[in-house]
Amino acid sequence: TEPDPADFQVSNLNAPESATQGDTIDVSADVENTGEEAATKTVAFRLDTNGDGSITDEANVETQNVQLDAGASTTVEFTGIDTSNLAPGDYTHGVATPDDTATAQITINEPAAPANFQVSSLDAPATTTQGDNITVSANVTNDGGEEATQSVAFGLDADDDGTLEELASQDVTLASGETQPVTFDEI
C-alpha cells in the first residue's frame, strides 16, 4: 500500500489576547506531521484583515519552511509581528499549513495619548516693588494618557519682547488625570 502523504496539523496556538497598536507580538504553535512520509511545507502566520473571521483567504504575514519526518512535531514561532498598521479592533489570526489552521482572537487597543501638562489657577501678585520677593502658585494637570515628568517654569516678560524669561522651574511627575499644585517661593 502507498504510505499516507505528509499531513501537517496545527495545535497549541499561543498568542496574546490583546496588544496596543504599535506593539510587537509573538505567536507560536505546534506543528505535527501525522502522515507517513517526510516533507517540507510552508507554515504561515496570517491575520484576517478583510473582517470575514477567517484566515484561509488572507495573505501570509510571515512564513517559515518546516521539514518534518513522519510522526515528528516542532514548535514554530513568529516573533516581533508589528501591529502598527492595524486599526484598533478585534482580529482573527492564526497559524496555517496547507493541511490545517489554528486561530484565535486578538484585540488591538488604541495607544494611550501622550502626557499633556496643562496649567490653571495661576495665583501671582498683580504688582510688586522692584527688589521684593514674590510667591507664585498654580495647578498643573496631566490630561494625557501616560505618566510623565516635565519641567514646570515661572517666567516674566521682563524686556517686553513677547517671550517669558524663566525665573524659576521644578520637575513635576504626574500620572494620567492627576493634578498637583506647584508653588514658587521667594522669586
Side-chain angles (χ1 to χ4, degrees), residues 14-16 24-28 78-81:
N14 184 12
T24 58
I25 62 170
D26 298 335
V27 176
S28 66
F78 298 95
T79 59
I81 299 166

Side-chain angles (χ1 to χ4, degrees), residues 103-115:
T103 61
Q105 294 288 317
I106 187 168
T107 300
I108 303 298
N109 298 305
E110 189 171 338

Side-chain angles (χ1 to χ4, degrees), residues 24-47:
T24 58
I25 62 170
D26 298 335
V27 176
S28 66
D30 294 338
V31 177
E32 180 182 7
N33 181 358
T34 61
E36 296 174 339
E37 293 182 328
T40 299
K41 294 191 178 190
T42 300
V43 179
F45 172 77
R46 295 182 184 159
L47 182 75

Side-chain angles (χ1 to χ4, degrees), residues 65-126:
N65 289 324
V66 176
Q67 191 281 325
L68 290 174
D69 292 332
S73 66
T74 189
T75 299
V76 178
E77 297 179 349
F78 298 95
T79 59
I81 299 166
D82 186 13
T83 64
S84 297
N85 294 327
L86 298 176
D90 296 327
Y91 294 88
T92 299
H93 67 95
V95 174
T97 71
D99 308 312
D100 192 27
T101 61
T103 61
Q105 294 288 317
I106 187 168
T107 300
I108 303 298
N109 298 305
E110 189 171 338
N116 184 29
F117 282 27
Q118 299 293 317
V119 178
S120 62
S121 305
L122 177 64
D123 184 18

Side-chain angles (χ1 to χ4, degrees), residues 38-64:
T40 299
K41 294 191 178 190
T42 300
V43 179
F45 172 77
R46 295 182 184 159
L47 182 75
D48 176 24
T49 56
N50 64 13
D52 68 357
S54 170
I55 65 168
T56 57
D57 58 346
E58 298 293 336
N60 297 333
V61 175
E62 288 190 25
T63 62
Q64 296 179 23

